[in-house]
Structures are given as structure tokens and as C-alpha cells.
Amino acid sequence: MKYSKLKFLVSLALCFVTHSQAFEVKVKDNAGNPLSNAVVWLEGDLYRPKAEQVSDMFSMGQKDRAFTPHILVVPTGAKIEFPNFDSILHHVYSFSKPKPFELKLYKETPKSEIVFENNGVVELGCNIHDWMLGYILVVDSGYYALTDKQGRANIALSPSQIGKAQLHVWHERFEKLEASEQIEVHLSSHSQKETYKVKQSLMEAFDFAVDESDGYE
């Protein structure tokens, strides 16, 4: 009985691997160089967030006086907690239109998570540590990824997710921070690749220098 159950689970896993496909996106800057930490996602009827994805708890922490992860991508309606892993106080806030909020000076983890109902870019700051900067990107999609140092990102799809889709690309150094760039792509039943070159110039990278003398030890 145990052997039969194990055999079934292995067959199920192999079936999933066999029937899943990878959509690889390579993002380049306007000079043709690989662009890391770009967010890519698919939009369309077949790519909306699943109920279990929305019900997951996401986390945007503060550690070593920095937001971690620096960029967090979540589906519309996601719940996010903001744990403080430092021994000092943090004061997290955002004035961004999709979700203005404020978590006043606190340690550890606030008791209530925050729900992000609206799509868009949420820029985070800390009133105590001016250099702390982070981003939450709320997307109407369950299929998203961040590019690596080679500018590549992989999105796993099922064979049923074929046809037209909108591929969105966003980067924190976009001059128009609140807007993604997008193109229409045609997804097939086979693994495929897409290269996207951003249209706008990128702003200089922000210097995340840590000031140790904050007075809130």
C-alpha cells in the first residue's frame, strides 16, 4: 500500500514536470546591457491570481537597517506583515497612491498585517533611517518574477496558458516610477524565450549607505 501511494505521488510529480513549461524573459537596458532586479509579469484572463496565492501571507522585513527583500511582488489583495528583525526601532510608511499607510515606531512584528487591494507601486520609507528604501509591487497576476544578474527571469506556466498575454516590465530606476512598460506576447504550448529592451533611460542607482548614528539603539 505504501509503495503504491509513493508510486502515485512520483507519477503525479513527473506529470507536473512534463506538462509545465518555462517562459523565459531577458530584460536589457536601453544600452543593451542585462538589467537585474527588473520585475516581469503576465496579465490576462489566464494569469489572474489564484485564491491560494492571495490568501498567502507575504513579508517585508527590516534587517540591518534595510528593507528585506528590497523589492516584493504580490498579487492584488495580498496581506503583508512587516517584521522588524533589528534590535532598534523602525517607523515604516508610504505616501504612494495605491496604499498610503504608516506603522509608527515599533520592534518585532506589528499585530495586524496590511492588505494591499490596489495595483501599483508602493514606495516604502522609514522616518528614522532616511536611506531605507523599499518597494512593494502589487500586480493583477499570479505569474511574476525578478530578473537575475544576467537579466533573466523564468515564469512557470501550464500548457493551457497559451495565446495572447500582456508582458509587463518594471524597474525601480524608471523615471516614471509608477508606470510599467508592456508588450503583447503570444505564448505557445512549448517553452519559449522573449527579450525585452526597456524604452526609457534609467536613473542613477540609489546609494544605500547606512548611518550607524541614528540614536535609536
Side-chain angles (χ1 to χ4, degrees):
M1 182 67 70
K2 291 183 178 179
Y3 174 77
S4 298
K5 185 177 181 180
L6 178 61
K7 186 177 180 180
F8 170 76
L9 291 174
V10 171
S11 299
L12 186 64
L14 289 175
C15 181
F16 175 77
V17 172
T18 302
H19 289 83
S20 63
Q21 62 193 59
F23 176 49
E24 180 184 289
V25 183
K26 185 171 185 179
V27 181
K28 297 182 178 182
D29 62 20
N30 54 8
N33 302 310
L35 186 60
S36 62
N37 289 323
V39 181
V40 297
W41 70 95
L42 295 170
E43 285 192 6
D45 291 339
L46 297 175
Y47 312 101
R48 298 190 186 283
K50 297 179 180 179
E52 58 268 27
Q53 292 173 312
V54 177
S55 64
D56 285 344
M57 177 66 74
F58 294 84
S59 180
M60 171 62 90
Q62 303 99 54
K63 186 176 182 181
D64 299 327
R65 297 177 174 86
F67 286 106
T68 178
H70 177 60
I71 298 173
L72 176 64
V73 189
V74 300
T76 308
K79 300 183 295 294
I80 305 178
E81 61 180 4
F82 292 81
N84 180 359
F85 299 108
D86 288 334
S87 61
I88 59 177
L89 298 173
H90 287 300
H91 185 146
V92 178
Y93 70 92
S94 177
F95 296 129
S96 301
K97 185 177 180 180
K99 190 64 179 184
F101 70 95
E102 181 181 27
L103 295 173
K104 296 184 179 180
L105 288 171
Y106 70 96
K107 285 187 177 182
E108 299 179 348
T109 303
K111 294 181 180 180
S112 299
E113 70 274 2
I114 296 177
V115 180
F116 288 74
E117 309 94 339
N118 302 312
N119 298 347
V121 181
V122 180
E123 187 173 5
L124 305 175
C126 174
N127 272 340
I128 307 304
H129 309 100
D130 292 339
W131 66 88
M132 285 181 62
L133 188 63
Y135 298 95
I136 296 172
L137 195 60
V138 186
V139 298
D140 188 22
S141 174
Y143 299 87
Y144 48 80
L146 268 76
T147 58
D148 59 19
K149 291 182 179 180
Q150 287 72 46
R152 294 189 178 93
N154 286 285
I155 301 175
L157 302 173
S158 68
S160 63
Q161 293 171 313
I162 59 175
K164 294 181 181 180
Q166 290 294 321
L167 172 63
H168 289 252
V169 179
W170 176 89
H171 198 275
E172 64 177 301
R173 290 166 55 199
F174 277 180
E175 187 173 3
K176 296 181 179 178
L177 186 66
E178 71 285 353
S180 64
E181 296 184 359
Q182 57 186 284
I183 59 169
E184 186 177 271
V185 293
H186 295 263
L187 301 176
S188 68
S189 58
H190 304 286
S191 296
Q192 64 188 91
K193 300 180 180 180
E194 181 78 30
T195 298
Y196 182 83
K197 186 176 180 181
V198 300
K199 299 177 178 61
Q200 58 183 295
S201 299
L202 300 176
M203 300 177 66
E204 291 295 325
F206 185 79
D207 183 9
F208 293 95
V210 176
D211 182 1
E212 300 290 346
S213 59
D214 52 48
Y216 284 87
E217 299 291 346

